[in-house]
Amino acid sequence: MSNKKKTIDLNDKTILEIFKKKNNYNFDEIAKLLKVSGSTKAKLKAFLDRLIKDGIVYYDEKDKVYTLLENSHLIKGVIEFKNNRYCVDNKSKILFINDEFLNGATVGDEVIITYDFRVNSYVVKRIIKCDDKTYLGEIKFEYGRCYVVNDELG
């Protein structure tokens, strides 16, 4: 008979199953549910950090709890440029973002946004993945905006 403890395979599916039972958990609750202890807690923390970085899980600094991003007040999407404004197309609704609240994001970047009532606008909280396309062309400034004009793109 073996005295080895059963190890839990940390994967996205395991975490998603946990959040079906309850909306948010602190770190110790997640560790207990997964029967993780000792040095394995560091692996769990690293795994949760990756899920945060990938935009799957959100960590609330104030309440010190983890929740699925889709169950939080945050919205995940890709920055687009429609009707001369930046936006995120959120399924049935286009959410416009004022230029000054892009926080370094640009068209094609996958971002997390939230509505900030203080400034009455959606605001980019974090860039998940940058669109790494390189654009070649002439930079033009018109009406307070910057454009790259490329002969091939028009």
Side-chain angles (χ1 to χ4, degrees):
M1 194 174 271
S2 175
N3 287 340
K4 285 187 177 182
K5 281 189 175 182
K6 181 182 169 191
T7 58
I8 299 294
D9 179 33
L10 295 177
N11 59 50
D12 296 3
K13 186 179 177 188
T14 305
I15 295 296
L16 294 175
E17 288 298 318
I18 288 173
F19 286 107
K20 284 182 180 177
K21 298 173 187 162
K22 187 173 134 186
N23 209 20
N24 49 28
Y25 295 94
N26 66 35
F27 181 79
D28 291 331
E29 290 173 320
I30 294 172
K32 186 176 179 181
L33 284 168
L34 293 175
K35 297 177 175 87
V36 170
S37 62
S39 62
T40 314
K41 281 189 174 184
K43 288 181 183 177
L44 175 60
K45 176 75 170 93
F47 181 72
L48 289 168
D49 288 345
R50 184 191 60 80
L51 292 177
I52 292 167
K53 183 178 176 260
D54 292 347
I56 297 167
V57 170
Y58 166 68
Y59 181 70
D60 186 325
E61 293 284 340
K62 183 180 152 208
D63 295 332
K64 308 283 188 228
V65 293
Y66 295 88
T67 189
L68 287 178
L69 189 76
E70 64 194 44
N71 294 338
S72 74
H73 65 287
L74 301 172
I75 300 162
K76 182 176 168 180
V78 176
I79 297 288
E80 297 178 26
F81 194 73
K82 293 182 180 179
N83 302 329
N84 292 323
R85 294 177 67 194
Y86 293 98
C87 64
V88 168
D89 194 343
N90 185 26
K91 297 172 187 144
S92 62
K93 195 174 181 184
I94 297 175
L95 309 172
F96 289 100
I97 305 166
N98 291 338
D99 298 11
E100 65 263 33
F101 304 121
L102 286 170
N103 295 325
T106 188
V107 174
D109 290 352
E110 187 175 10
V111 297
I112 295 174
I113 65 172
T114 187
Y115 191 82
D116 190 333
F117 290 96
R118 294 171 295 178
V119 296
N120 199 27
S121 175
Y122 284 96
V123 175
V124 173
K125 293 282 283 181
R126 191 164 59 84
I127 300 171
I128 298 172
K129 189 178 357 174
C130 287
D131 178 14
D132 292 336
K133 293 179 185 169
T134 302
Y135 297 96
L136 211 54
E138 179 184 353
I139 297 175
K140 288 193 175 188
F141 293 93
E142 289 181 14
Y143 309 109
R145 296 188 192 274
C146 177
Y147 300 90
V148 176
V149 179
N150 178 303
D151 290 338
E152 291 176 18
L153 299 175

